Amino acid sequence: MTSTVTAPEADEQHSSASGAHLVRKKRLFFPFFLPAVTLYVLFLVVPTIATVVLGFTSWAGAGDTPRFIGIGNYAELMGSDSFRYAFLNTLLYIVVGGVGTFLLAFLFTMVLRDMRGGKIVRAVLFFPNIVAPVALGMFFGIILIFRPNRQGLVNHLLESVGVDAVKFLAPENVTWVVTACLIWASSGFYITILMAAVDRIPPYLYEDADIAGATPWQKFRNVTLPLTWDVIGVAGVLWTISAIKIFELVFVLAGPGTYSPQIRAWTLGIYVFDRSFGTAGSPQYGMACAAAVVMILLVSVLVVLLRRLMRRDTIQF
Amino acid sequence: MSSTVESKPAVAVRPVRTPPRKPKPAPGSRGFSPLRLLGMIFVWLFTAVNVLVLYWLVSASFKTPIEIFSKPFALPLQWFERGDPFRNFAYAWNNAGFGHAFVVTVVLVAVSSVVIVLVSAPAAYALSRLGVRGSNGLTNFVAIGMGIPFQTVVIPLFIGMGKLGLTNNLFGMFLIYVALSIPFTVFLLTGFFKSLPDELEEAAAIDGASPFRTFFAIMLPLTRGGLITALILNAIGLWNETLLAIVFLNENANFTLARALFSFYGAASYQSEYGGLIAGVAIVVLPMLVLYVLLARRIITGLTLGAGK
Amino acid sequence: MATVTFDGTTRYYAGNPVPAVDGLDLEVADGEFLVLVGPSGCGKSTTLRMLAGLEGIDDGAIRIGDRDVTNLPPKDRDIAMVFQNYALYPHMTVADNIGFHLKIAKMPKAERLERVREAAELLDLTPYLDRKPAKLSGGQRQRVAMGRAIVRRPQVFCMDEPLSNLDAKLRVQTRTQIASLQRRLGVTTIYVTHDQVEAMTMGDRVAVLKDGLLQQCDTPIGLFGKPANLFVAGFIGSPAMNLIPATVEGDSARVGGRPVQLTRDQVSALTSPSVVVGVRPEGWRILSPAEGIEATVEVVEELGSDQYLYCSSPVEQIGADANQFTVRAPGMSPWQRGDKLGLAPETGAVHLFDAETGARLPD
C-alpha cells in the first residue's frame, strides 16, 4: 500500500542522494497518517454519510428497521412548527448574534488599539470562551431568574433602581436573551482575533492618517477595515460553524434543564437532540437525521456565501 | 590622551532639566473626542462587568440561597456563621456526585488529550513535511471536519457504539472524544510543523538519522510548544464538552462534570438548592480559571491561531 | 510659503531622564532645504516627528511662519510627510493613495482627480495610477509617497529617510530628483537622513545632531570647511578626517615630531594644553619618509579619479582606527602596499580643536 503512492514520486527525484532520503521519508506517510485518518473517517465521515442516508428513512430507533421514504422527512420538516422555530432561531443566532458580536468586536478594536491596559481587557473578555456553555447557561439562568420577592441578580438590580422586573426567560424573550449572552460570551474570542490582525497593521499608516486629519471612524473605514478584511472573513466562517451548533446554552436557559424547552426557543441542535435522545415521546431518528442534514446544508451555504461576499485581492504589506 | 575626548559634550553644556513625569502625548491624540471617551467607558464597563460576574459566581458558591438572591454583592456570611463555609461544595461534591465526576473527568480528559496529540502529531507531520503529493488536499479534507456539527454524527455514532456495547461506557466516550478532536488538532499542529525550517531535517538526514528518528528526536521536541498548546486546548474543550456526554453517558457512575451538572440542574432548581448548584458550576469553571490565569497567553494564541494566518 | 522655527524644543521619552531632543534652536528659511543628519538615536527623527505633530513637545515651541503649532494636531499644521517606509496603503491604487489626504479633507472629486493627475505627471507615475503598491518597484513607491505629499500643497515637507529603502544606484538618482523637485516647488523642506553624503549633496544647509543636541548647522561647504567641533569633523566627510591628539608647548603643537603652529587667539582659547589636530585625507602633502610624519601604506584603494592610501604610523589618532592615516593621492598613482611615506599637512588644511571641550579653535 505504501509503495503505490511513493513510487511515482520517487521517479521524479533525479538527484539520487536526497531522492533516497525523500523516498525513505515518504514511506513514513501511511504509518503516520493512517491512525488519525482512520479514526476521522470512522467517527466523522462515515457517520455523516450515514446521517444523510438515514435522513431519507423513517426510523424510530432501536427495535425498529429504517424504511426508505424519500424526501418525506424533509416535507414533514417544512410543515412542522418546531422545525420552523428551530431553523429560524438558529439563523437568528448566526446572523443577529454574528452581527452583534462583530460590531462589538470592531468597536473594541477601535478603542483598544492604543489604549493602556488593553492586554488585560482582552484577557478578561476572552475568559468566557473557555467556560463550558452548560455552566454559562446555568449561570445566566440563575442571574436572570424572574421570581417575585427572590429575584435573580439582574432583576434585583432593576428593581433596586425602580424598574419593573422582566421575565427574561419566558419563551417570547429567551431568544433575545440567549443572543445577548452569546454575544457577551463570544466577543472576547473575536476581539482577540481581530486585534491580532490590527496589531499587524504598520503604525505608520495610522500616522499618515493622522497627518491627513482622519477621524477615528475614517481611520477605521479606510485603514483598519480593509487591512483586516481577510481575517474578518475567516472569523466569520469560524463564527458560523460554532453558532450553528448552539445547543447547551439554549437548552439550559430556556427550559427546565433535563427536558427540552418550549419549541419557540428551539435551535436545530435542540431539534436533532429532542427527536433522537430527548426523553419526551418516541424517538424519530429519521427526522432527526434530516434536520442534521439541514444543519450541514445551512452551514455549507452560509460559509460559501460568506467566502463569496468577502472575496477580494489579498493584501501584501 | 585617550579616545574618550570625542565623546565629551561638544558645543553646549547641557542645561539642567527636570524630565516631566510623563511625556506629553502627540497633539492629535490629546483632544479627547467624545466618541473615544464613550468607547473607553464602554470597554472598561464591559470589562468590569465580567470581573463582577466572576466575583458573583465565586462568592455565591459560599452563600445560602437567601443570600444569593437578596444580597447578590455582599460577601458570604451565613454559612460561615454556621461554621460550615464549604457546605455548598460539600453538597455538590458528595450529594450531587461531583466528587466522583471530578475524578472521572480528570482521568478521561487527561488520557484523551494525550492520546489525541499522540495520534494527531504524526499525522500532522506526515501532511506538512513529507512532501507527498496531495497533502494539501488531504489536509483540507481533515480540516473540513472542524465544520461538521456533532449533531450530524451523533445518531449513527450512537447506533454503532451501541452495537459494540460501547454506549454508557467510558472507553467508548474516550474513543469518540479522541476521534472527534482529530480535525482541530491535526490542523493546529500542521501549522506548527510548517513553521519549522527545512534545514533541520536535511541536517539530520546528512547525519544519517532515519526519517523516523528525525521525527522523534528532532521534530517532536522542536514543536513541543505546539504539542503542549494542542494538549491544553483539547483538555479545555473536553472538560467543557456536554452534548456527547449527555447522549453517551447515562449512569451516574460514568458521569463527567459537565454531564453531572446538566442532570443536577433540574433537580437543584426544583429543590431551590441554588447554593449547591452554583458550587457545581464553580467546580466546572474554577479549574479552567486557574488554567487560564497560568496559561492565558498560550491559550489565547492557540485558539486564535488558525484565524490569524 | 513659510519659515520653520524650533525654539528650545525638547522631547523626553517615558522612563528616560535624558531628553531625546534637548533644547533645539533652529531657524529654517522660507523655501530652504534643511537636512537633519546624525548617527542613529541622535534625535533627528524625533525632531521631524515633533514638527509633523506625531510626537508631543515637552518644552519649547515650534512655529511655522508666525503660527505657533506646538499644540496643533498634525492636520492643522499644513505639512506633508514622506515616511521611511512610504506608508502606502496596500489596498488602494496609486491614484487613491496620492489622493487619500485630499479625500479625507473632503476636497471635491473633480479637483482632487485633477491634482492627482498633475502630481502623477510631475513624477512620471501616470501609467501606474491604477496599480496597487505591491505591484510597483521601490523607486515608484517612493515617488507615490512624494506624490501624496505634493498634492497637499503644504507649507512644509517633512521627509524621514525617504531613500533608505532604495538600492545604492537608485538612491543617487532619486537624490537629485528630490532636490530639483524641491527647488522647483520652492516648499520649505526638512529632510532627515543618517547618510552624510546625502546630507551634503541635497541640503541648502545641514544640521548635525548628536545625543539630542544640535552640533552645528551650516551650508555643506561651511560644515566641511569649518567643522565646529570634533564630532562634526569626524562625522562629515568620507573618508573621515584624520584626528591626531597633540600637546601644545609655547605656540605650537608637535605632531609626529613636526611642529604645527597655533595663532595667539588659538593658544588663548585653549582650556588645557591638549589639542586635536585634524587633517582631511586630501589635506596631506606626500613627502619622503624623512620629511614628515612617518607612515607605511597598508591598503591602496584605487577609485580611478582618486586613490586613497590607508597607512599605519607610530603616531596615534583618536577614534576606532587608532593608528590609521587616510591620505588621498591622485588617481593611478604608483603607490603600493609597504611603501614608506612622510606626511605633512598642506598650508590651510589644518583644523584645530580643543581636546577637552571638542570645540574648534578660532581660525
Side-chain angles (χ1 to χ4, degrees):
Chain A
M1 199 167 175
T2 316
S3 56
T4 50
V5 162
T6 47
E9 289 283 306
D11 287 344
E12 286 170 12
Q13 295 295 331
H14 296 300
S15 75
S16 57
S18 75
H21 178 65
L22 269 177
V23 171
R24 282 168 71 200
K25 252 171 78 174
K26 282 173 186 173
R27 249 174 232 150
L28 281 183
F29 185 78
F30 280 101
F32 272 25
F33 184 56
L34 272 183
V37 84
T38 309
L39 282 172
Y40 173 60
V41 170
L42 278 181
F43 283 81
L44 267 160
V45 180
V46 171
T48 304
I49 296 167
T51 298
V52 175
V53 174
L54 287 174
F56 295 111
T57 66
S58 165
W59 189 25
D64 190 19
T65 19
R67 194 160 38 82
F68 182 78
I69 53 161
I71 59 162
N73 286 330
Y74 294 94
E76 200 182 328
L77 284 182
M78 293 303 139
S80 138
D81 272 351
S82 53
F83 179 78
R84 210 177 55 239
Y85 278 121
F87 186 85
L88 291 178
N89 281 336
T90 305
L91 207 57
L92 180 105
Y93 290 137
I94 295 174
V95 176
V96 179
V99 169
T101 305
F102 279 80
L103 281 183
L104 197 67
F106 283 138
L107 179 81
F108 272 64
T109 53
M110 265 200 274
V111 179
L112 280 178
R113 195 175 64 78
D114 44 9
M115 195 179 93
R116 264 172 306 144
K119 287 246 151 71
I120 297 172
V121 170
R122 280 192 236 180
V124 170
L125 298 186
F126 191 87
F127 181 65
N129 285 284
I130 61 163
V131 172
V134 66
L136 278 181
M138 288 179 194
F139 163 75
F140 280 118
I142 296 169
I143 66 167
L144 292 172
I145 216 164
F146 175 85
R147 213 172 29 177
N149 302 325
R150 279 177 80 190
Q151 299 284 16
L153 175 63
V154 176
N155 278 326
H156 180 86
L157 289 179
L158 286 179
E159 284 184 344
S160 66
V161 294
V163 181
D164 284 341
V166 182
K167 287 183 180 167
F168 287 110
L169 303 180
E172 65 270 23
N173 293 332
V174 76
T175 309
W176 300 106
V177 169
V178 171
T179 309
C181 297
L182 201 59
I183 293 172
W184 171 81
S186 13
S187 60
F189 182 74
Y190 295 93
I191 289 169
T192 308
I193 292 183
L194 293 184
M195 278 312 292
V198 169
D199 285 346
R200 279 205 305 273
I201 299 175
Y204 47 72
L205 292 182
Y206 288 105
E207 289 180 349
D208 185 73
D210 270 333
I211 291 176
T215 60
W217 165 250
Q218 283 172 319
K219 278 187 219 170
F220 175 74
R221 174 73 192 75
N222 290 292
V223 185
T224 311
L225 192 63
L227 293 182
T228 50
W229 194 250
D230 300 350
V231 175
I232 294 169
V234 176
V237 171
L238 286 182
W239 168 266
T240 310
I241 62 181
S242 75
I244 194 123
K245 304 181 202 176
I246 182 167
F247 169 74
E248 295 102 313
L249 197 61
V250 183
F251 201 90
V252 172
L253 260 183
T258 320
Y259 308 104
S260 299
Q262 285 192 300
I263 59 168
R264 280 186 70 165
W266 278 17
T267 64
L268 288 173
I270 293 180
Y271 186 94
V272 173
F273 179 81
D274 183 79
R275 288 297 133 99
S276 45
F277 308 105
T279 33
S282 64
Q284 295 177 287
Y285 279 13
M287 289 286 279
C289 285
V293 170
V294 172
M295 280 176 89
I296 298 196
L297 288 179
L298 183 62
V299 81
S300 316
V301 167
L302 288 176
V303 167
V304 169
L305 212 65
L306 206 59
R307 298 235 76 133
R308 274 277 166 100
L309 223 64
M310 302 292 290
R311 189 159 55 195
R312 196 201 45 176
D313 297 345
T314 45
I315 296 287
Q316 297 161 284
F317 283 108
Chain B
M1 278 301 164
S2 70
S3 58
T4 53
V5 182
E6 200 189 25
S7 62
K8 296 216 167 174
V11 187
V13 177
R14 243 179 242 279
V16 181
R17 293 173 188 281
T18 40
R21 215 159 37 82
K22 206 174 90 189
K24 279 191 193 174
S29 62
R30 191 163 15 186
F32 255 113
S33 80
L35 188 76
R36 204 182 141 68
L37 192 70
L38 219 68
M40 294 271 263
I41 293 173
F42 182 74
V43 165
W44 280 114
L45 219 64
F46 201 94
T47 312
V49 165
N50 275 27
V51 175
L52 200 72
V53 153
L54 204 61
Y55 162 78
W56 181 88
L57 176 70
V58 175
S59 67
S61 64
F62 291 96
K63 289 178 181 174
T64 62
I66 297 170
E67 278 181 298
I68 292 169
F69 291 107
S70 57
K71 293 178 196 154
F73 293 113
L75 284 170
L77 186 69
Q78 292 181 357
W79 288 125
F80 284 82
E81 278 176 339
R82 286 180 225 169
D84 190 9
F86 294 103
R87 183 263 165 208
N88 291 337
F89 284 96
Y91 185 91
W93 195 266
N94 301 322
N95 302 23
F98 279 72
H100 187 259
F102 190 87
V103 177
V104 169
T105 311
V106 168
V107 174
L108 179 64
V109 165
V111 174
S112 309
S113 308
V114 169
V115 173
I116 291 165
V117 172
L118 285 183
V119 174
S120 302
Y125 181 75
L127 286 172
S128 57
R129 298 206 68 99
L130 294 185
V132 173
R133 236 185 317 178
S135 291
N136 274 341
L138 283 175
T139 310
N140 288 340
F141 169 68
V142 175
I144 283 178
M146 289 192 290
I148 300 178
F150 290 168
Q151 282 94 344
T152 49
V153 294
V154 82
I155 295 168
L157 270 186
F158 185 74
I159 309 293
M161 298 297 274
K163 290 221 167 106
L164 298 171
L166 289 176
T167 50
N168 195 21
N169 175 307
L170 285 174
F171 178 70
M173 197 74 253
F174 155 80
L175 276 183
I176 292 170
Y177 278 170
V178 171
L180 298 195
S181 308
I182 282 174
F184 169 73
T185 315
V186 169
F187 181 74
L188 183 77
L189 290 178
T190 37
F192 280 103
F193 279 118
K194 272 184 191 155
S195 66
L196 296 179
D198 289 336
E199 289 81 0
L200 292 165
E201 280 168 313
E202 285 161 10
I206 289 165
D207 292 345
S210 73
F212 192 72
R213 233 191 98 136
T214 309
F215 172 69
F216 278 100
I218 296 171
M219 303 310 269
L220 267 195
L222 279 173
T223 43
R224 198 175 48 210
L227 299 179
I228 294 173
T229 303
L231 202 71
I232 293 168
L233 296 184
N234 277 310
I236 291 173
L238 295 183
W239 182 274
N240 295 332
E241 201 291 317
T242 315
L243 172 66
L244 297 171
I246 294 172
V247 171
F248 286 92
L249 304 175
N250 45 35
E251 205 171 278
N252 282 330
N254 288 333
F255 276 5
T256 60
L257 275 177
R259 178 72 178 92
L261 187 60
F262 184 79
S263 353
F264 184 39
Y265 184 63
S269 358
Y270 185 69
Q271 301 162 13
S272 265
E273 181 46 61
Y274 287 102
L277 181 62
I278 291 174
V281 171
I283 292 174
V284 175
V285 173
L286 290 184
M288 291 297 102
L289 181 67
V290 172
L291 201 67
Y292 186 68
V293 168
L294 295 176
L295 299 164
R297 232 167 48 132
R298 188 185 282 273
I299 294 170
I300 293 176
T301 47
L303 274 178
T304 51
L305 198 67
K309 287 204 171 137
Chain C
M1 290 273 165
T3 59
V4 173
T5 313
F6 293 89
D7 190 357
T9 315
T10 302
R11 175 64 176 163
Y12 289 90
Y13 283 122
N16 188 352
V18 181
V21 175
D22 192 352
L24 178 68
D25 288 311
L26 193 60
E27 188 105 21
V28 187
D30 181 17
E32 185 176 0
F33 195 115
L34 180 97
V35 179
L36 292 173
V37 71
S40 61
C42 71
K44 54 191 191 297
S45 281
T46 308
T47 305
L48 192 74
R49 290 168 57 83
M50 281 194 286
L51 171 61
L54 298 173
E55 238 15 284
I57 295 162
D58 290 311
D59 199 6
I62 295 181
R63 283 189 295 280
I64 295 177
D66 355 304
R67 282 189 310 150
D68 185 339
V69 299
T70 313
N71 294 314
L72 286 183
K75 71 174 163 97
D76 297 332
R77 297 188 176 202
D78 206 359
I79 50 109
M81 178 130 171
V82 179
F83 290 85
Q84 184 171 5
N85 302 305
Y86 317 136
L88 301 183
Y89 299 98
H91 58 289
M92 296 184 195
T93 62
V94 168
D96 290 342
N97 261 294
I98 295 179
F100 178 64
H101 289 227
L102 307 181
K103 191 175 156 201
I104 293 292
K106 301 213 162 66
M107 179 180 282
K109 194 170 178 194
E111 192 184 348
R112 187 174 86 215
L113 293 180
E114 177 56 25
R115 280 212 201 176
V116 170
R117 200 192 52 76
E118 252 171 51
E121 210 152 283
L122 189 68
L123 295 161
D124 295 326
L125 287 170
T126 314
Y128 311 110
L129 279 176
D130 292 327
R131 289 204 196 169
K132 299 267 172 74
K135 295 255 161 66
L136 299 178
S137 70
Q140 288 162 345
R141 282 185 222 182
Q142 202 280 328
R143 297 210 298 275
V144 176
M146 289 293 296
R148 193 168 60 191
I150 289 172
V151 289
R152 289 183 60 122
R153 300 194 181 151
Q155 290 191 313
V156 181
F157 283 139
C158 302
M159 301 194 190
D160 190 2
E161 309 217 17
L163 303 183
S164 63
N165 283 343
L166 301 180
D167 61 52
K169 195 175 164 196
L170 201 55
R171 192 153 31 184
V172 174
Q173 275 176 24
T174 315
R175 190 159 91 190
T176 25
Q177 281 169 7
I178 292 183
S180 73
L181 186 68
Q182 189 271 340
R183 257 123 250 185
R184 196 146 32 120
L185 298 170
V187 177
T188 315
T189 301
I190 318 284
Y191 184 104
V192 163
T193 180
H194 63 272
D195 177 354
Q196 54 101 9
V197 178
E198 221 170 278
M200 298 293 275
T201 50
M202 297 177 82
D204 291 325
R205 279 193 307 153
V206 177
V208 183
L209 282 117
K210 186 196 166 216
D211 299 336
L213 286 167
L214 178 63
Q215 306 290 310
Q216 187 177 5
C217 180
D218 207 339
T219 60
I221 292 171
L223 220 52
F224 190 79
K226 290 187 177 174
N229 58 44
L230 273 175
F231 175 75
V232 177
F235 188 75
I236 300 290
S238 171
M241 186 186 279
N242 301 285
L243 295 168
I244 309 142
T247 311
V248 176
E249 285 164 30
D251 60 353
S252 72
R254 297 194 82 78
V255 176
R258 308 266 144 193
V260 174
Q261 206 64 34
L262 273 75
T263 64
R264 191 179 304 247
D265 287 351
Q266 286 171 336
V267 174
S268 58
L270 275 174
T271 55
S272 81
S274 306
V275 72
V276 175
V277 177
V279 180
R280 293 206 182 272
E282 57 272 31
W284 295 113
R285 270 186 302 154
I286 303 174
L287 309 166
S288 64
E291 290 174 290
I293 304 166
E294 252 181 75
T296 311
V297 177
E298 296 289 344
V299 175
V300 179
E301 205 176 84
E302 178 64 64
L303 300 178
S305 56
D306 290 311
Q307 200 175 58
Y308 285 102
L309 309 177
Y310 296 92
C311 311
S312 61
S313 163
V315 178
E316 286 223 346
Q317 293 211 23
I318 58 175
D321 305 312
N323 291 58
Q324 180 167 291
F325 277 69
T326 317
V327 182
R328 190 179 76 180
M332 318 285 189
S333 301
W335 298 111
Q336 286 189 353
R337 183 182 146 80
D339 287 351
K340 299 229 184 279
L341 339 156
L343 299 173
E346 301 264 11
T347 18
V350 173
H351 305 261
L352 290 165
F353 303 95
D354 186 319
E356 286 299 310
T357 64
R360 183 183 184 85
L361 298 178
D363 294 305

